[in-house]
């Protein structure tokens, strides 16, 4: 390092032989964290806003290295707090990017602008939310930073926090009245990003803030996006928030289609429990069973067949929840046909049809559980149990023949 020498008249810029950069002595003192030298140089009349070869002032240097005492000394000498370096960064932006809460607090107390923009439209709140520094986010919001400010790409702090799974930052931003459905033509919304990345904690906060559960992401409903990537907890929360389970995108693909294509059995079971239509075709005429068979997901295909799924485009049939109920239903049809034959044979000799030959309908003990009215989202093991509980065990699929 070049030697630090004092002078009352001017601050001489010396060349560092190791780094080939020009810095004044105040930059060197801030880099080393020597607060006593910084104070002495300020008293001797050093230029506190002098820039180095990168356009950084001593305040930038002290902030980037987290030297809080040097930062306070410069702020006490009325250093400029909103100057930009050659990268377009203010000292506040740098402190927020590094998660230095104490530097953020000192700069905000010195009236640093919380919404000062870089060349790409980014502000300190963007980078703090993106990196997940909750304390910095909170300090910036207390200083009245705009929670809905957009980068030129359309990204908001809420979208960045949701994309990277920072649920606590999402909570703080929503508490500051950030708009959960603020959209940009070139950028998906926060809920879409959280569903795509599988951050169920962020999904929960966004849905609690009444984010649009049936919004589209690149032509696909959010439920299909979550099913495509197998994010089962996100699927549970979307169903619990009354998402339309059969809502399809521009290509006719809904959540069940996406889950069958990707082979996510847990998502398929959750959607079937939520009464998704197992025979709804895509725009190309492919049913969920046809998609499961085409991609080799046999277990999903077997589950769809148990629910009345077909591999051809036709009118949906009434699903049967288990092989036992399917067999009993077939027996009841045969009995009904036989009794109809007996009724026709005896109608001429009997004035009225005896009550004992009237077949009884198949009735379920209980209605299927609807997760949309449940107090909490269904778990995947519970959904599979609902679909596969054997008769007589007390599950929701047990049934009896009455009559």
């Amino acid at each position: 390092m070049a030697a630090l020498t004092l002078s009352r008249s001017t601050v001489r810029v010396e060349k560092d032989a190791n780094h080939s950069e020009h810095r004044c002595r105040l930059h060197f003192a801030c880099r080393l964290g020597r607060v006593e030298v910084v104070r002495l140089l300020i008293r001797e009349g050093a230029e506190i806003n002098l820039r180095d070869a990168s356009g950084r002032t001593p305040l930038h240097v002290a902030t980037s290295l987290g030297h809080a005492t040097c930062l306070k000394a410069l702020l006490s000498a009325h250093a400029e707090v909103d100057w930009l370096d050659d990268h377009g960064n203010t000292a506040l932006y740098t402190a927020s990017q590094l998660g230095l809460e104490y530097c953020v607090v000192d700069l905000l107390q010195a009236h640093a602008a919380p919404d000062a923009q870089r060349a790409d439209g980014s502000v300190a709140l963007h980078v703090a939310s993106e990196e997940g520094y909750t304390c910095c986010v909170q300090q910036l919001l207390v200083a009245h930073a705009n929670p809905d400010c957009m980068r030129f790409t359309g990204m908001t702090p809420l979208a960045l926090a949701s994309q990277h799974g920072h649920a606590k930052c999402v909570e703080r931003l929503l508490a500051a009245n950030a708009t959960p459905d603020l959209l940009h033509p070139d950028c998906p919304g926060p809920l879409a990003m959280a569903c795509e990345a599988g951050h169920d904690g962020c999904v929960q906060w966004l849905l609690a803030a009444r984010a649009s559960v049936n919004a589209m992401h690149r032509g696909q409903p959010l439920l299909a996006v979550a099913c495509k990537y197998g994010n089962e907890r996100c699927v549970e929360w979307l169903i619990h928030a009354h998402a339309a389970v059969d809502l399809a995108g521009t290509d006719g693909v809904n959540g069940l289609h996406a889950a069958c294509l990707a082979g996510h059995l847990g998502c398929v079971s959750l959607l079937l429990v939520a009464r998704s239509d197992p025979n709804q075709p895509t725009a190309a005429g492919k049913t969920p069973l046809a998609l499961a068979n085409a991609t080799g997901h046999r277990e999903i295909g077997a589950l769809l067949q148990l629910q009345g799924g077909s591999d051809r485009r036709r009118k949906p049939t009434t699903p049967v929840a288990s092989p036992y109920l399917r067999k009993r239903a077939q027996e009841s049809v045969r009995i009904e046909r036989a009794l109809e034959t007996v009724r026709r044979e005896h109608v001429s000799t009997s004035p009225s049809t005896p009550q004992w030959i009237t077949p009884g309908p198949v009735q379920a003990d209980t209605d299927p559980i609807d997760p949309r009215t449940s107090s909490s989202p269904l778990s995947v093991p519970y959904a599979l149990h609902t679909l596969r509980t054997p008769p007589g065990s007390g599950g929701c699929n047990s049934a009896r023949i009455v009559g």
Side-chain angles (χ1 to χ4, degrees):
M1 291 288 184
L4 292 175
T5 58
L6 301 180
S7 173
R8 285 182 176 274
S9 58
T10 59
V11 178
R12 183 168 52 89
V13 177
E14 299 181 353
K15 185 174 182 180
D16 190 307
N18 295 328
H19 299 282
S20 300
E21 293 180 346
H22 294 280
R23 297 186 181 94
C24 73
R25 292 165 298 172
L26 194 55
H27 285 83
F28 285 124
C30 291
R31 174 177 286 274
L32 296 175
R34 301 291 298 273
V35 63
E36 66 279 1
V37 178
V38 170
R39 290 170 179 166
L40 181 58
L41 288 169
I42 293 175
R43 286 199 302 269
E44 293 294 324
E47 175 57 52
I48 60 176
N49 294 319
L50 187 66
R51 297 178 183 270
D52 64 5
S54 300
R56 298 189 304 172
T57 65
L59 190 68
H60 286 106
V61 175
T63 303
S64 63
L65 295 174
H67 297 313
T69 53
C70 296
L71 176 66
K72 290 181 179 180
L74 292 168
L75 292 175
S76 300
H78 306 289
E80 293 289 343
V81 294
D82 290 328
W83 279 19
L84 305 178
D85 61 14
D86 290 350
H87 300 285
N89 299 332
T90 63
L92 181 61
Y93 187 93
T94 301
S96 302
Q97 187 177 32
L98 298 175
L100 304 174
E101 181 189 3
Y102 51 91
C103 293
V104 171
V105 172
D106 291 338
L107 290 166
L108 290 174
Q109 289 178 350
H111 307 290
D115 292 329
Q117 289 186 329
R118 300 175 74 238
D120 61 352
S122 180
V123 298
L125 190 58
H126 283 124
V127 69
S129 301
E130 185 175 12
E131 299 296 336
Y133 296 127
T134 309
C135 294
C136 294
V137 169
Q138 182 65 30
Q139 294 297 338
L140 290 166
L141 292 173
V142 170
H144 305 290
N146 181 11
D148 289 331
C149 54
M150 279 190 179
R151 286 178 175 171
F152 295 154
T153 58
M155 296 291 286
T156 64
L158 187 60
L160 290 167
S162 302
Q163 183 183 31
H164 294 88
H166 304 310
K168 291 185 178 180
C169 292
V170 170
E171 178 187 1
R172 298 293 193 280
L173 290 165
L174 291 173
N177 299 320
T179 306
D181 289 328
L182 187 61
L183 302 178
H184 187 272
D186 300 328
C187 179
L191 186 57
M193 289 190 167
C195 289
E196 185 175 22
H199 301 310
D200 59 283
C202 298
V203 170
Q204 182 179 358
W205 281 110
L206 291 167
L207 292 176
R210 301 185 181 276
S212 178
V213 72
N214 292 319
M216 291 290 178
H217 173 49
R218 296 170 185 167
Q220 295 294 326
L222 298 184
L223 196 57
V225 173
C227 290
K228 177 181 178 181
Y229 295 99
N231 301 323
E232 296 171 3
R233 286 293 297 172
C234 295
V235 173
E236 293 180 65
W237 282 113
L238 290 172
I239 293 175
H240 185 64
H242 308 284
V245 293
D246 290 327
L247 179 64
T250 54
D251 54 357
V253 174
N254 61 14
L256 190 58
H257 295 130
C260 291
L261 279 170
H264 299 303
L265 179 62
C267 295
V268 171
S269 64
L270 287 169
L271 291 169
L272 290 176
V273 169
R275 300 179 182 180
S276 181
D277 184 2
N279 288 301
Q280 180 173 330
T282 64
K286 298 291 186 179
T287 63
L289 181 57
L291 295 174
N293 292 336
T295 51
H297 303 304
R298 297 182 179 179
E299 191 172 6
I300 293 178
L303 182 60
L304 289 168
Q305 285 180 330
L306 292 179
Q307 297 301 305
S310 170
D311 58 354
R312 295 191 302 270
R313 184 172 182 175
R314 63 180 185 180
K315 185 178 179 180
T317 57
T318 303
V320 181
S322 68
Y324 174 79
L325 290 180
R326 177 185 288 274
K327 182 178 179 181
R328 293 296 296 270
Q330 293 173 348
E331 290 177 355
S332 66
V333 171
R334 289 197 295 270
I335 292 173
E336 184 177 357
R337 290 176 180 174
L339 292 177
E340 181 63 26
T341 303
V342 173
R343 186 184 297 109
R344 286 198 302 268
E345 292 176 354
H346 293 279
V347 69
S348 60
T349 59
S350 177
S352 62
T353 303
Q355 294 295 325
W356 62 270
I357 64 173
T358 302
V362 179
Q363 295 182 354
D365 289 342
T366 57
D367 294 330
I369 295 177
D370 187 354
R372 294 171 294 181
T373 59
S374 174
S375 59
S376 63
L378 294 177
S379 62
V380 173
Y382 185 83
L384 292 173
H385 169 77
T386 304
L387 293 170
R388 296 178 177 177
T389 303
S393 62
C396 67
N397 287 331
S398 59
R400 64 178 184 273
I401 303 297
V402 298

